[in-house]
Amino acid sequence: MSVMTTLLKRETWEHRAILIAPTVFGGLFILVAILAAAGAIHVQIGDGGVDLRAMLSSMDGQQIAASMQMQLASVAVFLNVVMLLVVIFYLLDCLYAERKDRSILFWKSLPVSDLTVVGSKLLTATVVIPLVTAIVFLATAIGIYLIIGTLALFAGSGAVLAAGPGAILDTMTAALYGVIVQSLWYQPLYGWLLLVSAWAKRTVLLWAVLPLFAVTALERMVFGTGLFGHLLGERLTGVFPLAFRPATDHIVWEFHEGGANASLELVESLSQLMDPGAFLLSPGLWGGLVVGILLSGAAVWLRRYRDET
Amino acid sequence: MTTLVRASNLSKRFGHVVALDGVDLEIPEGRIVGLIGPNGAGKTTALKALLGLTSFAGELEVMGLDPRRERHRIMQDVCFIADVAVLPRWLKVRQVLRVAEGLHPRFSPERAEKLLAASQVRLDSRVGQLSKGMVTQLHLALVMAIEAKLLVLDEPTIGLDILYRKDFYTTLLNDYFDEGRTILVTTHQVEEIEHILTDVLFINKGRIVLDESMEQIGERFAQVAVTPEQADAARDLNPLYEQDMFGRKIFLFQDRSPQQLSGLGETRVPGIADLFVAKMKGAAA
């Protein structure tokens, strides 16, 4: 095993949430899909309130694919939130825990440079955790597809099974793109969390958050401006508006029968909304990367030269 | 003979506290050197300096490399145990071996597994579940499976039962040490390492106060039990240290010929602990 592979493995051994958290939530979505499918069958047989067959036959293939994409996208967004929480807590803990339990002395007894070690932690946050989340998403999407597809088949329509692979591929492409742009865009935040983790003696979460508020408040008091707060807000929320363009064409599906009324505006393809050009050309991306490298570099320096044991 | 560690005028201060005050020392290959001093004498600071774990002033070379800049290259030939309590508790024993195999080019997992098979340590246990004695066995297995030129031990047996402490050093001496290996060990429990050392370094208040091989100590230092009547005659020879014991006076002499001492009583080579006390108290007086 190469040094980097070993270091990345070690991170998943120590921080088991990296594997467990996305898997648990992916599993929950499958469970919900199974329960929903069972519920739908029950409704069919029981009072027949909503006619699944009629509903499906009111949609064409494109509408079915688009509505599947919307369902899968909501799963992707939810797993994305889980991923970000895992990344935040991982980064805050990764250089702090080894100092707290003094195992840093063991790690430092091995011939690996601090740059490589801190690099493995940044790589875990930037690549490994998003990759694990993407794989869990793919597995969850396939599971949901098989459950709902089978349900539709029982209702007499093979359209869901037919539309699924295309919808999964399209959502997966958009989801992968989404985690990549986030990983790049959030580099300054990740660098900041690494630095706090390498520096704070206790209460890492507090140290990660308070200075950001303090700088914002101080700037307002001293200069009366809100530049830092604006930059911070932009960093936290600005990535998707930048990396995706708003949908222009919508597919509208309406369904009225008996007591059931539904009207949905669907997007034909999520991957068509990706706008990598605008993202790559934005100064915010490159400026953020520079700040991220500086902050992560400071974390490497601290781990190398700090002497507190 | 190759010199592994060479320090000259090694200094380090923490604010107003001087931890190392111009230390000069050389550690040749194939020796077992004890760095011995009271708490706060600068033992750990000296070790940390040569492992590149702390900043310092002065000259320091470890296997020809500067620990400030080439730390991770030095660590390829050095094995270092701070104390046995620093193995990550969340790792399984099997994973400890995988980590060492992946990160240390001179680690042999086969050898470590063979050593562990003879111990009570199970590969599936987590480090946190092992008793202190078993953690020591695990750590020893790691150390002995690494082909290191220099083994640095900083109070390695702190917090261990006396049984395991003895085992630790016996195993080290019998199964690990050979001419190609060098061991540098710090402790304030002088007695438990005395019999394995080839060289002794005493450090006090950041200064080296004694730097001798065990043979030289046998030649240069003598301890004599003297009857009270002869105490004044002994004092005339300017002893390093004197103490009362069972109605006799015990004197410790440095650089006195056997002829000078023969009239006083039976001479013997002092133990490191006695020599240590004499040197530390003598320095204070």
Side-chain angles (χ1 to χ4, degrees), chain A residues 61-129:
Chain A
Q62 201 184 33
Q63 284 170 329
I64 286 177
S67 70
M68 273 197 78
Q69 280 212 8
M70 197 175 69
Q71 287 176 41
L72 295 179
S74 64
V75 174
V77 166
F78 189 89
L79 287 179
N80 194 73
V81 172
V82 171
M83 176 192 87
L84 288 177
L85 287 174
V86 170
V87 167
I88 288 169
F89 285 101
Y90 164 75
L91 282 172
L92 277 178
D93 195 57
C94 68
L95 293 170
Y96 171 69
E98 63 172 17
R99 292 186 293 128
K100 200 174 60 180
D101 68 7
R102 295 183 68 233
S103 63
I104 187 170
L105 285 172
F106 170 70
W107 299 113
K108 286 218 169 196
S109 75
L110 295 162
V112 185
S113 71
D114 294 83
L115 179 65
T116 314
V117 171
V118 177
S120 80
K121 302 195 184 242
L122 190 58
L123 208 59
T124 300
T126 309
V127 177
V128 175
I129 298 175

Side-chain angles (χ1 to χ4, degrees), chain B residues 28-228:
Chain B
E29 194 175 59
R31 314 293 290 184
I32 304 181
V33 182
L35 183 61
I36 298 160
N39 289 327
K43 303 186 293 283
T44 299
T45 309
L47 290 195
K48 278 183 162 179
L50 68 91
L51 293 167
L53 292 174
T54 192
S55 59
F56 56 84
E59 300 294 314
L60 180 57
E61 258 181 29
V62 181
M63 284 166 292
L65 301 169
D66 183 342
R68 280 172 288 207
R69 292 198 315 274
E70 291 159 301
R71 192 189 119 68
H72 67 277
R73 279 182 59 198
I74 289 176
M75 294 316 285
Q76 301 214 335
D77 290 311
V78 175
C79 190
F80 163 50
I81 298 187
D83 69 46
V84 293
V86 300
L87 280 180
R89 297 173 58 77
W90 45 267
L91 271 180
K92 286 185 176 172
V93 175
R94 193 186 302 282
Q95 295 171 333
V96 174
L97 301 189
R98 297 268 296 281
V99 163
E101 184 186 1
L103 301 184
H104 207 304
R106 299 198 213 288
F107 176 79
S108 153
E110 294 79 24
R111 180 150 166 74
E113 272 176 46
K114 220 175 107 190
L115 287 161
L116 286 176
S119 76
Q120 300 151 300
V121 180
R122 300 277 74 88
L123 291 178
D124 291 320
S125 312
R126 279 191 199 286
V127 171
Q129 297 164 337
L130 300 177
S131 70
K132 271 188 172 171
M134 288 196 271
V135 176
T136 311
Q137 289 175 328
L138 171 58
H139 227 134
L140 263 176
L142 281 183
V143 167
M144 297 204 287
I146 292 175
E147 284 283 333
K149 289 188 187 139
L150 175 64
L151 170 62
V152 177
L153 303 167
D154 184 15
E155 301 275 0
T157 56
I158 222 163
L160 286 182
D161 282 346
I162 183 139
L163 289 174
Y164 291 118
R165 293 212 296 258
K166 278 199 87 101
D167 271 359
F168 183 88
Y169 289 113
T170 313
T171 316
L172 213 56
L173 190 61
N174 294 338
D175 301 340
Y176 177 82
F177 184 67
D178 59 43
E179 308 85 64
R181 305 255 171 114
T182 308
I183 301 178
L184 175 60
V185 51
T186 73
T187 183
H188 56 271
Q189 303 270 347
V190 187
E191 297 89 343
E192 70 183 29
I193 59 166
E194 177 164 6
H195 60 286
I196 72 165
L197 297 179
T198 64
D199 293 80
V200 178
L201 286 166
F202 283 175
I203 186 168
N204 192 24
K205 293 175 184 153
R207 290 179 157 276
I208 299 289
V209 293
L210 183 87
D211 179 359
E212 305 277 0
S213 70
M214 291 302 270
E215 302 91 69
Q216 286 170 320
I217 284 176
E219 288 163 13
R220 293 189 56 195
F221 295 92
Q223 200 173 35
V224 193
V226 178
T227 55

Side-chain angles (χ1 to χ4, degrees), chain A residues 113-293:
Chain A
S113 71
D114 294 83
L115 179 65
T116 314
V117 171
V118 177
S120 80
K121 302 195 184 242
L122 190 58
L123 208 59
T124 300
T126 309
V127 177
V128 175
I129 298 175
L131 203 64
V132 168
T133 311
I135 291 168
V136 168
F137 169 69
L138 183 63
T140 309
I142 291 172
I144 291 174
Y145 155 68
L146 290 176
I147 292 161
I148 295 180
T150 313
L151 175 70
L153 202 61
F154 277 115
S157 165
V160 173
L161 278 180
I168 289 174
L169 188 70
D170 196 76
T171 321
M172 184 70 193
T173 308
L176 260 182
Y177 171 75
V179 294
I180 292 170
V181 295
Q182 279 181 98
S183 280
L184 293 171
W185 184 254
Y186 289 147
Q187 280 305 304
L189 298 177
Y190 292 179
W192 168 246
L193 295 175
L194 270 179
L195 183 58
V196 170
S197 182
W199 176 79
K201 283 207 156 54
R202 56 190 74 84
T203 55
V204 270
L205 189 57
L206 216 58
W207 277 115
V209 178
L210 276 185
L212 304 181
F213 281 116
V215 169
T216 311
L218 210 67
E219 187 195 341
R220 188 156 304 280
M221 280 193 317
V222 177
F223 301 105
T225 52
L227 188 65
F228 185 77
H230 174 74
L231 280 174
L232 193 63
E234 182 73 19
R235 191 53 56 179
L236 290 172
T237 59
V239 59
F240 285 148
L242 187 66
F244 288 92
R245 63 173 76 88
T248 44
D249 306 324
H250 289 285
I251 298 171
V252 180
W253 171 63
E254 295 199 30
F255 179 68
H256 304 283
E257 196 188 283
N261 286 297
S263 173
L264 280 179
E265 273 197 358
L266 302 166
V267 176
E268 188 191 341
S269 155
L270 289 172
S271 64
Q272 278 175 10
L273 304 181
M274 302 188 305
D275 192 359
F279 179 70
L280 286 173
L281 288 176
S282 81
L285 168 67
W286 299 103
L289 284 177
V290 170
V291 173
I293 289 168

